[in-house]
Every structure is written in structure tokens, then in C-alpha cells.
Amino acid sequence: MVSAVSTEDPVLRAITKHSAAENPSSFLALNSGNLTFTAPGHDGVIVYRRTGRFAVQFGGPFAGTDDYDTLLGLFLEHVREQELQLVGVQLQRTDGEAYARRGFTVNQIGASWAVRVPDLTLKGTRFMQLRNKISRALRNGLQVREVDADSYGEALSTIDDAWLGSKGGSPQLEFLVGQIGGSVQKLRRLFVGSIDGAPVGYISYSPVYGTRTGWMHDLSRRIPAGSPGLMEAINAHAIEVFRGEGVEWLHFGFTPFTGLDEKNELPGHSTSFQWLMHFLWAEGAALYPAQTQLAYKQKWAPDLVIPEYVAFQDGPSLAGFAHIFRACKAF
């Protein structure tokens, strides 16, 4: 059965109940616009989007151990019946191994990054530049507080328009990035920075389930001409709030083309696709600013690097790779 994601669908229950996959981005499965696949009598869901002749799956099946392989097999039958090719993205290691057993070509596509909140301190010389940026934003009058997204809709739209306008009118990305609003907004947290009463930046945090529970630094935007250090100061404020609540992990989410390592590759991976990922890390800023994104994450000295994978049903192809970005509305 295929349907649009809503609070009545089993997506939220699945991502909170089934932690075996340990996908720190699992909350993105609840984004509006996603499709879900379920099977009667089987506990779990598969989340995907259809683009052209491809089904682009987000993560692996969010399912119990007893239902994982069966649900995946039924989904593959559904994809074949629809005359689609399957490409899965943001698979975790255990997902990648399961797809490889079914004949998929599986390669590392990037990594997620995380820090342990109780151990994070901004003291010492390694954090000197970060402290200076935060101090500069605060000296410029930045005030940060947690807010209700419903009461800040117009202000957030103003920031979004300015941010996207500075990127040459880039479209609002979807699928592999978070969103604000919708039926599950109450489960997210939103921190907004203001100067002289005017909102100038925000960070939305999504819940992370599994053994490394915590929050994921998700959607973030700022006024392009605003003070340096805005995002760093907002995140530092949120970290202190999380620390006071006893939160264990702050996740920084998935960044393609980063954290690539030969030891992360699975048997049977494509050496050509592996080369492409390394090339895009070095030269692919026009496609995705991976180096800029990673530089921000490394400011916080991540404790954990989690490799993430892409799986191609009929071998790696540029078309399949491109449709991942198409599903994200990148073009």
C-alpha cells in the first residue's frame, strides 16, 4: 500500500520503535512529499520518492529484525511492478550489507557527524576562533531563544527568502534536508537569533532515536548580510540548553562526499563510483558545498563519524545518482 506521510501512517512509530538501523536522520522520513510502502502483517515502513523511472529510497526499511528482509523483498517486487529502478540513499552500514546481499552495488556516499554533548567544551586553543566568532555575534547584540515555529512563520520566511536569494534563487531543497511546519513540527525544536528585535537566523533541531539519542542540527538559515558568528552563537546556545537537559548527542546530519574512507567500502563496491565521490569532494562545490558544510561541523570537534551509503539496483549510473538530487528538488 502506498500513501502520503501523515500522522496516521506508521512512520513515526516505526522510526521511534525500530532503532536497529541507527539512522540519525530518520526523522526526515516524516517530511511532507514522501511516499511510504507498508505490507499487511509486517511491522515497518519504507520511505521513498518517485522521480522519473526511479524510486529513490530514504534510508533502509524502518522495520523490526523479523520483518526487515521480507518488507524489503516485497518493496522490490512493488518497484518492479511499477517498472522502476531503485536507488537507496543514506543507508547505514547494516542496510548496505543487506542490499549488497540482494545484488545491489553499494558505495559510501558520505558521512554523518556527531558530538557528545556532556564532553563538549569550547575551552582551549582549538576552539579559540569559534569562541571569537560567537563573541562577535553577541557583541553585535545577538540574542538567542527557543521559540514556537507557528508564531515565527513570517520572520522565518523572510530569512529563507534572503538566504535563498543570496544563492542565486536556488530552490528550497527537500527530502534529505529538514523542513519546518507540518503535523510533526511539535516534535522539533527551533532556536532563533535576533538583533534589535529582528530575527536574523535560526536553527531547527530534529529528534534522533536509537542508542545515540539526542538532537540533529537540521535546517539552518541566516540573513546573508548579518553579523559573523550568527549560526555558531545560536548552536552554542542550543548546546547549553541540551546539556542542562541531560542530552547525550548532538548530530550534525549527513554531508555527501565527506568522511570517505577505503575501509568503509563494502565488498563489490564500484571503484568508478568511489572515484567520483572523491572527485566531487575535491571539485564538486558547484553541485554541493561539501567542504564548506564539513568545515562548519568540524568546528565543534565531532566525536563520531558515521559512514552512509548509496545502493544501486542495476549497478551505479549517472542517471540514478542524478535522480537522488532530483528527488531533493536540487534541479
Side-chain angles (χ1 to χ4, degrees):
M1 178 174 63
V2 177
S3 62
V5 169
S6 73
T7 52
E8 284 71 39
D9 281 313
V11 179
L12 181 59
R13 183 176 62 86
I15 65 175
T16 56
K17 178 181 178 182
H18 303 303
S19 60
E22 293 294 336
N23 191 328
S25 299
S26 62
F27 199 79
L28 301 184
L30 289 155
N31 280 358
S32 59
N34 291 345
L35 297 174
T36 65
F37 177 87
T38 59
H42 297 286
D43 184 14
V45 299
I46 288 175
V47 176
Y48 71 104
R49 291 196 178 192
R50 180 171 177 166
T51 64
R53 59 187 180 89
F54 284 87
V56 182
Q57 182 184 349
F58 167 68
F62 298 102
T65 303
D66 293 339
D67 291 290
Y68 184 104
D69 284 326
T70 302
L71 188 63
L72 177 56
L74 292 172
F75 181 59
L76 291 175
E77 290 180 11
H78 170 74
V79 168
R80 283 193 294 269
E81 291 171 358
Q82 299 295 312
E83 298 183 343
L84 300 173
Q85 290 186 4
L86 180 63
V87 55
V89 66
Q90 278 202 252
L91 304 181
Q92 304 304 291
R93 176 87 184 194
T94 53
D95 298 316
E97 292 169 347
Y99 283 63
R101 288 193 297 268
R102 287 183 173 268
F104 282 68
T105 301
V106 180
N107 273 72
Q108 186 185 5
I109 191 174
S112 291
W113 307 75
V115 297
R116 287 199 73 252
V117 173
D119 297 337
L120 179 60
T121 172
L122 301 186
K123 298 178 180 179
T125 56
R126 70 182 302 184
F127 292 110
M128 183 172 62
Q129 290 185 341
L130 178 58
R131 292 198 306 272
N132 289 341
K133 293 195 73 172
I134 294 171
S135 296
R136 186 172 178 182
L138 296 177
R139 288 197 304 270
N140 287 336
L142 181 71
Q143 295 184 325
V144 183
R145 66 191 185 103
E146 187 171 4
V147 304
D148 182 348
D150 291 338
S151 62
Y152 269 73
E154 184 176 348
L156 299 181
S157 295
T158 299
I159 295 172
D160 288 345
D161 291 344
W163 174 255
L164 294 172
S166 72
K167 305 298 180 182
S170 298
Q172 183 86 272
L173 297 180
E174 301 179 6
F175 193 44
L176 301 186
V177 297
Q179 61 183 38
I180 293 178
S183 59
V184 294
Q185 177 57 40
K186 63 183 179 181
L187 300 179
R188 303 185 186 99
R189 301 179 72 170
L190 179 66
F191 289 80
V192 172
S194 301
I195 295 179
D196 296 329
V200 293
Y202 69 83
I203 302 176
S204 174
Y205 297 85
S206 298
V208 176
Y209 307 104
T211 59
R212 293 187 287 268
T213 58
W215 294 95
M216 184 176 75
H217 182 306
D218 195 1
L219 191 64
S220 59
R221 299 275 168 75
R222 62 177 176 82
I223 298 294
S227 168
L230 290 179
M231 309 317 293
E232 291 85 351
I234 295 171
N235 193 48
H237 177 94
I239 287 172
E240 291 310 308
V241 172
F242 297 153
R243 191 196 312 279
E245 297 170 347
V247 172
E248 283 292 316
W249 288 95
L250 175 61
H251 296 260
F252 284 90
F254 169 67
T255 305
F257 322 141
T258 65
L260 303 173
D261 194 317
E262 176 68 33
K263 68 182 180 182
N264 293 333
E265 297 290 2
L266 297 180
H269 69 276
S270 166
T271 55
S272 298
F273 191 85
Q274 182 183 23
W275 175 90
L276 178 61
M277 294 301 94
H278 285 272
F279 173 80
L280 290 175
W281 159 250
E283 306 292 343
L287 179 63
Y288 188 85
Q291 294 193 21
T292 301
Q293 292 290 318
L294 182 58
Y296 174 79
K297 297 177 182 184
Q298 288 184 326
K299 291 178 182 180
W300 307 93
D303 298 294
L304 188 64
V305 182
I306 306 169
E308 302 209 4
Y309 296 86
V310 60
F312 295 97
Q313 187 173 20
D314 297 315
S317 68
L318 288 178
F321 183 57
H323 275 268
I324 295 173
F325 289 89
R326 186 177 175 188
C328 297
K329 302 293 180 69
F331 52 80

